[in-house]
Amino acid sequence: MKTMPISKAFTLIEPGPVVLITTNDGEKNNIMTISWTMVMDFSPRFAITTGYWNYSYNALRNSKECVIAIPTVDLIDQVVGVGTCSGADTDKLEKFGLTPLKAKQVAAPLIKECLANIECKVIDIVEKHNIIVLEGVEAYFDKFREEKRTIHAIGDGTFIVDGDKLDRREMMRSKLPEGV
């Protein structure tokens, strides 16, 4: 093996699918692209990395709620577009042709075009590491959507798409929580 710059080591570990986070600041909806996500455990707890540099951050911090919308590969241009402009001067939902739907438990909208949406409440903000911990309170999945492959960011402007599904459920049965 050859050494590589430590500053690029983050490209070796992909945390989860790229998601869209919707917020509502009491006046308007906004949306941001987040590449750094993770599931906390076998519960509906999730973590995202974001901070003051994102326009949505204040809405997320103040409202203490959002929606995690999970896009698929057919939405990659909208996902990248959302992530490369600011909600301060752009209605991103309108600009990228994404349809907001009313959520049940939060003011932020669901995104109709996404494979899944999870309404969340903010339960912790770890400012030192720019981590926001979310608790899912309602979840939706579009089983009729043909495209189900999600997008994974490498961190250098390139992406990987889900591929074959490998089933090892029986092998892992003893480690899975009941009902999964």
Side-chain angles (χ1 to χ4, degrees):
M1 282 191 207
K2 284 180 67 175
T3 61
M4 65 180 287
I6 193 66
S7 63
K8 294 185 179 182
F10 71 90
T11 65
L12 300 173
I13 300 175
E14 183 275 310
V18 175
V19 300
L20 297 170
I21 302 292
T22 66
T23 56
N24 181 288
D25 66 4
E27 294 181 23
K28 69 176 186 171
N29 293 325
N30 196 32
I31 179 174
M32 65 178 161
T33 300
I34 297 288
S35 298
W36 309 112
T37 63
M38 69 181 242
V39 174
M40 300 292 287
D41 55 31
F42 286 108
S43 72
R45 288 206 175 134
F46 312 95
I48 61 173
T49 300
T50 190
Y52 65 89
W53 58 87
N54 275 325
Y55 178 74
S56 294
Y57 180 73
N58 282 334
L60 190 58
R61 184 186 177 102
N62 295 335
S63 71
K64 297 199 177 340
E65 59 183 36
C66 66
V67 170
I68 301 172
I70 304 171
T72 49
V73 66
D74 55 323
L75 297 172
I76 191 166
D77 290 338
Q78 289 95 322
V79 169
V80 172
V82 164
T84 56
C85 65
S86 174
D89 55 18
T90 306
D91 179 340
K92 296 184 195 183
L93 289 160
E94 182 179 316
K95 180 174 181 168
F96 297 103
L98 299 170
T99 310
L101 298 175
K102 184 164 178 44
K104 290 181 183 175
Q105 298 191 44
V106 300
L110 310 174
I111 299 177
K112 179 182 179 181
E113 291 77 13
C114 286
L115 176 64
N117 287 268
I118 306 168
E119 296 181 37
C120 296
K121 300 285 186 174
V122 174
I123 59 171
D124 196 8
I125 298 177
V126 186
E127 292 194 31
K128 180 178 179 182
H129 300 291
N130 301 308
I131 295 171
I132 299 180
V133 181
L134 305 168
E135 178 89 35
V137 294
E138 195 81 40
Y140 309 84
F141 183 81
D142 186 352
K143 68 180 181 180
F144 298 108
R145 199 165 196 296
E146 285 188 39
E147 183 60 76
K148 292 184 173 61
R149 296 174 298 155
T150 57
I151 311 159
H152 301 262
I154 301 301
D156 62 359
T158 62
F159 299 84
I160 295 173
V161 177
D162 286 340
D164 296 333
K165 187 175 185 177
L166 307 174
D167 186 345
R168 297 295 182 274
R169 290 175 64 82
E170 285 307 312
M171 193 176 195
M172 295 182 63
R173 180 76 49 212
S174 67
K175 297 293 182 184
L176 297 175
E178 193 174 320
V180 172

